[in-house]
Amino acid sequence: MRRRRGSLPIRPRRAPTARTGTVIVLIGINDIQLPDDRMCGADRDDPSVTAERLIAGHRTLIRAAHVRGVGTVGATLLPWSGSANWTAEGEAIRDEVNEWIRAGGEYDAVADFDRALDPEGTGRLPDGLHMGDHLHPSPAGYRAMADAIDLDTLS
């Protein structure tokens, strides 16, 4: 099976490289929101992005980290409603991946960036927490994300 260059399923071959410590894994929203991005190799014969494929990629990262003695913190995918590439289908994938990250029990810990940035559950980054594109956090958004990390999970 050919895999998209730059997409989650092949990243575990290159990462993580650390031998101790903890990694925070926040990955997948670009795979969801840019399914036809030529830079990710969508011109290849590749299956569509699904929650199952993203979760399989997360599991590969977790295994690779644990083999190296590295702890893993799974970060939920950020809200993105209102951004240029938002779709209901993509939102359903994000919701399924986030639920798995929260309840799957495979990460050593969870940083719930979704709820930190969108405590009301609107699926949208509130004004002031994004850079004007409803996708990328502003400095205040990054502060909210940092505050959502339990520092004890990083030791």
Side-chain angles (χ1 to χ4, degrees):
M1 174 172 94
R2 297 182 78 176
R3 295 184 178 169
R4 295 184 336 175
R5 192 163 114 225
S7 65
L8 178 63
I10 69 166
R11 287 183 187 157
R13 295 180 192 190
R14 296 189 310 242
T17 57
R19 296 291 182 212
T20 61
T22 303
V23 294
I24 299 172
V25 179
L26 173 58
I27 194 166
I29 200 67
N30 284 343
D31 297 290
I32 295 169
Q33 66 124 3
L34 298 172
D36 297 323
D37 184 1
R38 295 266 180 222
M39 292 189 68
C40 290
D43 55 322
R44 299 177 185 185
D45 185 21
D46 210 27
S48 298
V49 173
T50 64
E52 292 78 17
R53 287 187 70 213
L54 291 173
I55 291 167
H58 278 262
R59 285 179 169 141
T60 301
L61 281 170
I62 292 165
R63 281 191 304 272
H66 287 168
V67 163
R68 291 167 176 82
V70 176
T72 57
V73 177
T76 55
L77 304 179
L78 306 182
W80 63 303
S81 178
S83 69
N85 295 317
W86 185 91
T87 64
E89 179 183 357
E91 183 67 11
I93 293 170
R94 182 185 80 90
D95 287 343
E96 189 173 338
V97 171
N98 279 352
E99 183 55 32
W100 174 82
I101 291 169
R102 288 182 186 112
E106 296 186 47
Y107 278 105
D108 299 314
V110 172
D112 200 338
F113 292 161
D114 177 34
R115 290 188 179 144
L117 292 170
D118 180 24
E120 302 299 319
T122 65
R124 188 179 190 100
L125 288 171
D127 289 340
L129 295 184
H130 63 85
M131 297 297 292
D133 62 0
H134 297 277
L135 181 64
H136 297 98
S138 66
Y142 281 116
R143 169 50 58 196
M145 291 167 68
D147 290 344
I149 300 168
D150 178 356
L151 296 180
D152 290 336
T153 65
L154 302 179
S155 57

